[in-house]
Amino acid sequence: MENKDIFDGLIGGRKLSKKYIREDISELKGSELQSELDRKIARLMILHPELVRFRNNSLSGLDELTKKALLEDMYDVLGVTPLRNE
Amino acid sequence: MKIFLRNLFSKLLVISQRKKIVEILKEIQILRSNSNQMTDAKIVRLTTDEARERIDKLWWKLPNVSAQDMYDEGDSHWKWEELTKFYENKILHECVAILSQEDYLEGAMIYHFNAKSKLEQGKGSVYVERVASAPHNRNWLVFQPFYKGVGTVLLYWAVIESYNAGLRGRVSLESLPTPSTVNFYKNKGFVRIDLTQPSDDLVDYELPESAALTWLKQEGDLP
């Protein structure tokens, strides 16, 4: 019997059409990300440019605790409830 | 004896180096096919080295699968090494895989964070460019697959990533509307974007926010 929750095949193979790529954002340049936490924050800063801005958008001067607090604040503003096991 | 030890040492070195470069993104569980039991696995970031060594060189070495069957699968020519090389070290693009206890990659996925939603104007979405479960997990290719539902786990990971990126879980993709995939998409709440697209080609689907949140709640990740 087919289980509708199970997917074992493959999808896609086609690059996203240009008309569906956001033009308002681009990859960070020259930024060194030290951890997964850095990556999460940097991604949110790119995807939601209105959210937070500080000098060069650089995370290098922030310690771990500050970064965690920053991420929590960003989640709060975006309405993201931290997922279980996060 | 010396040669044997040297070979053994170099193999161990390669294994230890390989273990070091695996970046674990999440501890998960996947369904072992023969016992129907959930077993521990990991979602890992896929590097070009891993893609070459563990996908391109291994996945299609299946006994009793003809060249025609491989060709019919549609992804046997995909070069994961080249695909991952293009997106490595980029924040808006990810290549991930599921690493099983047996140290095999059971499936892989490439997705992007810079997509527009096709359903909701002005909103963003995660676009899944490719998903593939390892050929040894496809029950129409092998008699006894190792794991079931690897593709489901990968797609659910895309939903999590979308949610954590503030994109409310929206996920879009293009897929052939075969009966089994259509049933799966419908069950999960994916919406077919354009009904005029011919059904013998890839068609656009998107998981809207409401369906994504429902899925996250069903899995117990959201209260």
Side-chain angles (χ1 to χ4, degrees):
Chain A
M1 200 176 79
E2 185 189 4
N3 184 337
K4 291 179 184 171
D5 277 331
I6 296 278
F7 178 80
D8 276 321
L10 62 125
I11 283 174
R14 195 181 278 171
K15 281 190 185 268
L16 182 60
S17 154
K18 269 192 179 164
K19 70 175 179 176
Y20 289 116
I21 296 176
R22 287 177 59 180
E23 310 89 358
D24 60 323
I25 55 172
S26 56
E27 282 282 339
L28 275 186
K29 282 180 188 147
S31 175
E32 291 218 357
L33 303 173
Q34 306 294 332
S35 65
E36 212 47 44
L37 181 60
D38 284 8
R39 205 174 168 88
K40 277 185 183 176
I41 294 171
R43 185 176 286 148
L44 285 174
M45 289 197 313
I46 296 174
L47 291 173
H48 308 279
E50 73 291 351
L51 204 59
V52 60
R53 279 200 186 99
F54 47 92
R55 190 184 292 264
N56 298 330
N57 275 357
S58 170
L59 300 173
S60 57
L62 305 180
D63 62 30
E64 196 76 357
L65 277 178
T66 310
K67 286 179 195 171
K68 280 184 180 165
L70 174 63
L71 182 64
E72 274 177 29
D73 286 348
M74 290 169 112
Y75 276 172
D76 195 39
V77 173
L78 290 169
V80 175
T81 306
L83 297 177
R84 189 182 60 125
N85 298 329
E86 284 289 308
Chain B
M1 186 66 178
K2 263 186 184 173
I3 292 172
F4 171 76
L5 285 174
R6 198 167 53 199
N7 284 345
L8 183 68
F9 179 73
S10 57
K11 269 183 193 164
L12 287 173
L13 192 66
V14 168
I15 288 168
S16 69
Q17 283 171 343
R18 186 179 287 173
K19 294 241 187 251
K20 263 188 220 163
I21 58 172
V22 170
E23 287 179 73
I24 299 167
L25 299 175
K26 193 174 173 73
E27 307 274 349
I28 55 161
Q29 291 206 310
I30 51 177
L31 185 62
R32 200 191 291 273
S33 194
N34 59 359
S35 62
N36 237 18
Q37 298 284 317
M38 298 304 282
T39 171
D40 291 340
K42 298 173 178 75
I43 293 183
V44 297
R45 183 164 287 127
L46 185 61
T47 63
T48 53
D49 288 343
E50 295 291 306
R52 182 185 59 250
E53 297 300 320
R54 299 216 221 184
I55 298 182
D56 296 340
K57 287 187 181 175
L58 286 182
W59 270 15
W60 293 98
K61 288 193 172 155
L62 290 174
N64 307 322
V65 176
S66 69
Q68 184 62 45
D69 284 346
M70 287 188 197
Y71 177 79
D72 289 346
E73 284 303 287
D75 64 325
S76 56
H77 65 287
W78 291 0
K79 296 277 177 247
W80 285 90
E81 180 188 7
E82 286 168 25
L83 295 166
T84 51
K85 193 184 288 178
F86 193 70
Y87 297 119
E88 215 164 38
N89 299 321
K90 293 188 174 169
I91 294 178
L92 296 178
H93 312 272
E94 280 282 12
C95 307
V96 300
I98 292 180
L99 181 66
S100 63
Q101 284 181 334
E102 292 82 7
D103 214 28
Y104 282 111
L105 295 184
E106 305 295 344
M109 174 169 70
I110 295 174
Y111 53 101
H112 312 283
F113 290 88
N114 59 344
K116 295 177 187 170
S117 165
K118 293 174 185 175
L119 276 178
E120 292 182 70
Q121 215 174 6
K123 307 276 186 183
S125 167
V126 160
Y127 175 71
V128 174
E129 183 187 313
R130 283 163 210 260
V131 174
S133 55
H136 61 251
N137 290 324
R138 301 179 195 177
N139 64 4
W140 57 95
L141 267 186
V142 295
F143 176 67
Q144 176 75 68
F146 281 43
Y147 289 100
K148 277 196 260 186
V150 166
T152 314
V153 174
L154 286 167
L155 283 177
Y156 183 62
W157 175 249
V159 175
I160 288 177
E161 286 278 83
S162 168
Y163 182 80
N164 281 337
L167 304 175
R168 308 300 291 163
R170 284 183 292 270
V171 169
S172 48
L173 54 89
E174 295 177 16
S175 171
L176 275 178
T178 61
S180 65
T181 56
V182 167
N183 278 339
F184 173 79
Y185 296 143
K186 207 185 256 182
N187 185 39
K188 291 297 176 200
F190 279 84
V191 175
R192 186 168 165 174
I193 305 291
D194 178 2
L195 292 172
T196 64
Q197 283 179 305
S199 294
D200 57 353
D201 196 3
L202 299 176
V203 300
D204 297 335
Y205 288 92
E206 185 164 310
L207 187 73
E209 174 183 340
S210 56
L213 297 181
T214 301
W215 196 354
L216 288 163
K217 284 175 189 169
Q218 280 170 351
E219 295 292 332
D221 280 320
L222 269 184

